[in-house]
DNA sequence: AAGACGAAAGTGGTTGA
DNA sequence: TCAACAACTTTCGTCTT
């Protein structure tokens, strides 16, 4: 049995009532011990995190106490350019009021530089692309944090923001085990594949990121659901892939081609039949490559 | 007739001198 | 910087159901 199944079964965090992803309905849930969270292998949605206790740690015995003890303000988030800590001065009073003067002051100082302006743009781009790819908030957060880091290390100046943000999202997806293909990234980005690859390369180098090469397993759940294949076939395809990896049949091969072939074989074995053409269209590799991988498997 | 198969040539990226 | 190289794609004729 594959790694994933093992993880699922032994996962101490997985409670009985969580069986499928509330976001996309996929039943392929992964338990990440390192981060102590359960997330969907299909869309990456974090379903359960046990590290963070969202409830108050204090007890209130009457409403007055509750009001006094409650912390103020929205939770801090990295996806807002000043981490959500700024105070916005409300509008509404006349020119002469003190409020107006404060507003004027805020306008002048709040967005201080073009650097900050471009940071705001970058965050909105990360959000836009992540939405288009149906990526969950935790991945957007991670990409935003990396962008801030890149900014602190002065890696942005002189390069295209679009390239950097796309590459960061691409990297983060892989780190979370919900890999997207370069083609999919390009489709939602405003720059080409070359630019994305270039940015990716230097970001990994200069931010000292650890990105393991993509595993075919990362692609299988999503491709299966796009092909309308059921859970048993998905599981079968994952098994085939893991066996292939153990037999070192995957060395030097493109992971997407392997995933495509594994799905093709698993579908036939499971009594469902999908044309090579269909799989080729969804996965973005040619029928010839699917055939070649099939032969090897 | 549709789909699968596989050979051959072309393409773009990686690697090592 | 350039050539060698492997993986992948494109194209196309043939085989199978």
């Amino acid at each position: 049995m594959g790694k994933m199944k093992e993880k699922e079964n032994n996962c101490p965090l997985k409670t009985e009532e969580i069986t499928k992803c509330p976001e996309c309905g996929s039943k392929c849930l992964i338990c990440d011990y390192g981060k102590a969270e359960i997330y969907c292998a299909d869309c990456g949605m974090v379903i359960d995190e046990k590290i963070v206790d969202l409830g108050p740690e204090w007890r209130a015995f009457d409403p007055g106490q509750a009001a006094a003890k409650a912390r103020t303000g929205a939770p801090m988030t990295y996806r807002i350019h000043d981490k959500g800590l700024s105070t916005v001065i409300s509008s509404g009073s006349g020119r002469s009021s003190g409020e107006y003067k404060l507003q004027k002051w805020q306008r002048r100082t709040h967005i201080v530089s073009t650097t900050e302006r471009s940071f705001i743009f970058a965050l909105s781009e990360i959000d836009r692309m992540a939405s288009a790819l149906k990526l969950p908030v935790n991945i957007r957060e991670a990409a935003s944090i990396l962008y801030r880091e890149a900014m602190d290390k002065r890696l942005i100046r002189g390069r295209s923001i679009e390239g950097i943000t796309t590459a960061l999202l691409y990297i983060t997806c892989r780190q979370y085990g919900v890999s997207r293909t370069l083609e999919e990234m390009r489709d939602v980005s405003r720059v080409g594949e070359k630019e994305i690859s270039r940015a990716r390369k230097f970001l990994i180098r200069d931010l000292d990121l650890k990105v393991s090469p993509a595993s075919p397993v990362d692609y299988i759940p999503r491709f299966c659901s796009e092909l309308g294949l059921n859970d048993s076939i998905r599981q079968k395809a994952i098994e085939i892939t893991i066996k292939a990896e153990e037999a070192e049949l995957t060395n030097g091969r493109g992971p997407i081609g392997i995933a495509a072939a594994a799905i093709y074989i698993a579908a036939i074995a499971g009594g469902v039949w999908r044309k090579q053409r269909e799989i080729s269209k969804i996965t973005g590799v040619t029928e010839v490559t699917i055939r070649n991988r099939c032969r090897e498997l």
Side-chain angles (χ1 to χ4, degrees):
Chain A
M1 204 26 102
K3 297 173 208 162
M4 193 171 293
K5 188 74 180 218
E6 210 173 294
K7 256 190 197 174
E8 268 182 52
N9 288 344
N10 299 338
C11 179
L13 299 171
K14 192 173 178 185
T15 49
E16 299 73 32
E17 68 267 20
I18 306 169
T19 52
K20 60 178 186 174
C21 172
E23 185 84 357
C24 68
S26 165
K27 287 183 188 159
C28 189
L29 307 179
I30 294 172
C31 174
D32 188 323
Y33 292 98
K35 297 196 191 77
E37 65 186 19
I38 298 171
Y39 63 95
C40 172
D42 204 343
C43 69
M45 167 94 180
V46 173
I47 293 149
D48 201 12
E49 357 176 31
K50 290 288 156 88
I51 284 176
V52 184
D53 180 9
L54 297 169
E57 77 285 347
W58 41 265
R59 287 191 297 165
F61 298 99
D62 61 67
Q65 266 186 14
K69 285 178 175 175
R71 301 177 204 81
T72 50
M76 191 170 107
T77 171
Y78 286 94
R79 285 158 61 231
I80 298 174
H81 77 285
D82 54 9
K83 298 183 188 172
L85 293 172
S86 66
T87 301
V88 177
I89 297 154
S90 72
S91 57
S93 305
R95 274 192 150 261
S96 56
S97 70
E99 238 176 49
Y100 174 79
K101 280 175 196 160
L102 277 173
Q103 280 173 40
K104 195 168 155 192
W105 186 80
Q106 184 175 36
R107 266 202 304 279
R108 279 190 194 151
T109 58
H110 190 57
I111 297 172
V112 284
S113 61
T114 50
T115 315
E116 197 159 351
R117 212 185 294 263
S118 68
F119 184 45
I120 294 167
F121 174 69
L123 293 190
S124 76
E125 276 302 285
I126 289 173
D127 241 21
R128 183 187 62 78
M129 291 187 284
S131 294
L133 292 165
K134 298 195 182 16
L135 294 170
V137 168
N138 56 329
I139 289 182
R140 300 177 201 196
E141 288 267 352
S144 303
I145 292 168
L146 286 181
Y147 191 91
R148 189 174 270 281
E149 241 179 87
M151 231 173 63
D152 292 344
K153 289 194 176 177
R154 310 197 170 279
L155 301 175
I156 312 290
R157 185 175 272 261
R159 299 186 214 264
S160 106
I161 293 172
E162 190 74 20
I164 309 253
T165 51
T166 316
L168 285 177
L169 215 46
Y170 186 50
I171 291 167
T172 323
C173 279
R174 186 157 301 175
Q175 287 176 332
Y176 278 71
V178 286
S179 299
R180 291 292 186 270
T181 64
L182 191 52
E183 269 178 68
E184 288 172 295
M185 297 306 301
R186 183 211 53 208
D187 285 345
V188 299
S189 176
R190 295 180 215 272
V191 294
E193 291 182 19
K194 256 189 187 169
E195 176 73 38
I196 300 169
S197 298
R198 246 192 30 222
R200 187 187 110 92
K201 230 182 207 170
F202 86 77
L203 282 169
I204 288 173
R205 178 166 44 91
D206 294 354
L207 286 179
D208 198 23
L209 299 172
K210 307 262 176 302
V211 186
S212 46
S215 162
V217 175
D218 295 347
Y219 297 100
I220 289 175
R222 201 160 40 83
F223 288 155
C224 277
S225 67
E226 277 175 46
L227 284 159
L229 295 168
N230 62 36
D231 298 334
S232 68
I233 290 174
R234 188 199 56 219
Q235 199 54 49
K236 185 110 194 157
I238 290 171
E239 278 175 47
I240 291 170
T241 305
I242 290 168
K243 265 189 202 147
E245 275 174 346
E246 281 163 2
E248 306 207 344
L249 254 53
T250 59
N251 289 352
R253 302 273 128 98
I256 303 168
I258 309 263
I263 291 169
Y264 182 67
I265 292 169
I268 290 169
V272 198
W273 187 73
R274 285 288 180 281
K275 280 180 275 185
Q276 290 180 355
R277 184 75 188 278
E278 281 181 77
I279 297 177
S280 159
K281 215 170 123 192
I282 298 286
T283 59
V285 293
T286 62
E287 298 163 55
V288 179
T289 305
I290 295 175
R291 287 198 286 272
N292 289 335
R293 289 303 88 78
C294 278
R295 214 174 338 138
E296 291 160 11
L297 292 177

